[in-house]
Amino acid sequence: MNVIASNKNTKNSKREFLVFFISFLFLFIYVFLRAYFISFAHDESLTYTILQGNVEWKNDPNNHVLNTFLMRWIQKGGGNIEWVLRLPNILAFIVYGWAFWKIVRTDKKGMNQILLFCLLFFNPFILDLFSVARGYGLSLGFLLMSLLFLLKTPGKESTIHSFTYNFFFSVTWASLALFSNLAVVNYYIALLGIWVGQYLYVEYVKKKGNSGVKWKLCFLFLGAIIPLGYGLNRLLWLKGLNKLYIGEKSVWNSLDILLQRVFYFSNYSEITLFIMKLIIPILFILGIFSLFLKKENQEKGIKTGALLILILLGLFLEFHLFGANYPTARTAVYLIPIYSLFLYYSLFKNLCSYRPKIGKVLTLIPSVILALHFFSNIQLKKTVIWNYDAHTKQVMQIIQENIKGGEEKKTMSNNWLFEPTINYYISTNQIKLEQANRAGVNFSSDFIYDFKNQASPEGFEKIAEFEEPATILWKKKSVVSE
């Protein structure tokens, strides 16, 4: 009977992995296609200037250090093509998916896992960040790997050896997340706090330590301070340069902007946004209460809940003591996996095991809503943050066609938002145009690219017009295609 049960479990496990793999493969292809087709964006193009030796943007929050390093490294072998420069973040999506599977693979399967999958993968804003050459996708993949090792061995079952192993890899992945995106510094600090608390439990309550491992652990803790020192030092340096001005003045505003990005291009009502802003803290409170009602997964729920509380406490203190703004949208996106895992361990799993039928219904409904939201937003043309650059790649192709032949470089003027990406395409496609600048529209230039709400320039003809966002490309009538 045991052999039959074992074979059945093995077959079920293989089937579950196959379903996950096919779902993930579809999403990976989608992420790759977006990275292939979407126009390079403003912030990506600024990072590209760092690869070209621009010191100004190197000394800026735009410089996500690990992402810039990987872009430089991959540029040497693959060139300056958009998807090649985005490849580190595309591959980070595999890390993200692998971490998710390793976290849930030993859990009893059910609707709660489907809901968790929908929260982490059917989120078009999160997939945006894996499709662009920024540090956000990298940090999400590394952060989920860090959480994997934090949750891998519950504290009550830990030995000091397993603790050391999991601590090392959890902090290593968290360090990579920090080098990718300084916004996760509060996660890093909170993570160290959780590990310290777990060590005190293993050492002094369970009394499983030994002096040899203690010294090894001491060195590991000291080593963990190095990435934190780097992150804090860089943040203070940027603050001294008055570069840390992005953010919100309240947690409520921060949540508002994050939800708007998660809603993506769906035109939901203001009441929907308000209801969601209420549901998120309510579910968190219910999750806290749920941890005290059922012992199953209690420790994992406590860890993820404590992470959220420590992070929010850190943000609160930084705002009131140092005047730091609360994170906004992309700088707050790392909270989504932590919050989702907290609900998974504290609420979803307990609900499904305590009241299976009710639990299935209450997890199926939001899963369907999230899936419908995702599939209604599938597209390969734009990103929600850098939406204004959706047509810049096509615009530059049109201009290149219009100035084929001839040796003299033409000129172009534009809204300042388009300047970095225009220059990226001028450089990588060797277009015969002078470098664009941020001075705005100049009626003496040969081409003008601007938003539609501006007046039609005299002496120019319209050669391209776009919707969502509404932009228009003008060519001086004296410019003749050769």
Side-chain angles (χ1 to χ4, degrees), residues 58-308:
K58 184 177 181 180
N59 303 326
D60 189 89
N62 182 278
N63 181 15
H64 296 169
V65 176
L66 183 56
N67 175 66
T68 305
F69 170 80
L70 292 174
M71 284 177 68
R72 188 188 304 279
W73 178 75
I74 207 164
Q75 179 195 40
K76 294 178 181 178
N80 298 312
I81 305 170
E82 297 97 319
W83 74 266
V84 171
L85 296 174
R86 291 164 170 166
L87 193 57
N89 279 271
I90 299 171
L91 296 178
F93 188 60
I94 297 177
V95 176
Y96 186 76
W98 176 254
F100 168 83
W101 176 250
K102 295 289 283 185
I103 287 172
V104 302
R105 71 186 181 94
T106 57
D107 294 340
K108 184 178 179 181
K109 305 302 183 287
M111 283 305 305
N112 45 43
Q113 285 193 359
I114 295 175
L115 178 53
L116 179 63
F117 179 87
C118 291
L119 285 168
L120 295 183
F121 291 89
F122 283 169
N123 186 323
F125 179 47
I126 284 180
L127 296 192
D128 251 11
L129 300 176
F130 285 109
S131 302
V132 296
R134 304 293 294 125
Y136 306 112
L138 290 170
S139 65
L140 284 170
F142 298 149
L143 182 139
L144 205 58
M145 283 295 292
S146 172
L147 287 169
L148 164 66
F149 286 97
L150 176 67
L151 302 171
K152 193 173 182 180
T153 306
K156 291 181 181 178
E157 300 174 7
S158 286
T159 65
I160 200 69
H161 291 283
S162 66
F163 174 92
T164 304
Y165 174 87
N166 291 317
F167 170 75
F168 173 78
F169 284 104
S170 180
V171 170
T172 299
W173 286 108
S175 300
L176 292 174
L178 181 62
F179 293 141
S180 302
N181 177 16
L182 286 175
V184 303
V185 65
N186 286 287
Y187 166 76
Y188 193 92
I189 295 170
L191 181 74
L192 290 182
I194 301 297
W195 278 109
V196 168
Q198 186 171 316
Y199 169 74
L200 294 175
Y201 178 85
V202 172
E203 177 66 24
Y204 295 105
V205 177
K206 302 300 290 182
K207 301 185 183 302
K208 293 184 178 180
N210 64 62
S211 57
V213 178
K214 285 180 184 178
W215 280 108
K216 183 191 296 183
L217 209 49
C218 181
F219 282 116
L220 287 178
F221 272 115
L222 289 175
I225 300 299
I226 296 173
L228 177 60
Y230 161 81
L232 292 175
N233 181 65
R234 183 165 175 82
L235 283 170
L236 291 172
W237 176 62
L238 290 170
K239 181 176 175 61
L241 296 175
N242 295 317
K243 297 283 189 176
L244 300 181
Y245 49 84
I246 296 176
E248 303 299 324
K249 296 300 180 183
S250 72
V251 174
W252 192 250
N253 288 343
S254 181
L255 181 59
D256 186 279
I257 300 298
L258 180 59
L259 280 173
Q260 288 181 36
R261 295 294 182 260
V262 170
F263 286 176
Y264 213 58
F265 293 108
S266 296
N267 189 25
Y268 299 133
S269 64
E270 287 295 322
I271 189 66
T272 304
L273 179 62
F274 180 75
I275 291 172
M276 286 301 302
K277 286 166 68 177
L278 289 180
I279 287 176
I280 288 172
I282 289 172
L283 288 179
F284 180 76
I285 294 169
L286 289 176
I288 295 292
F289 280 113
S290 177
L291 289 173
F292 295 99
L293 297 177
K294 201 169 180 67
K295 298 295 183 182
E296 185 181 356
N297 301 301
Q298 186 183 57
E299 191 156 356
K300 294 180 180 180
I302 290 174
K303 286 179 181 178
T304 49
L307 274 174
L308 286 171

Side-chain angles (χ1 to χ4, degrees), residues 392-405:
T392 311
K393 179 178 182 178
Q394 188 177 351
V395 163
M396 299 310 293
Q397 290 171 343
I398 293 170
I399 292 176
Q400 190 169 21
E401 288 296 319
N402 270 266
I403 58 176
K404 276 185 176 179

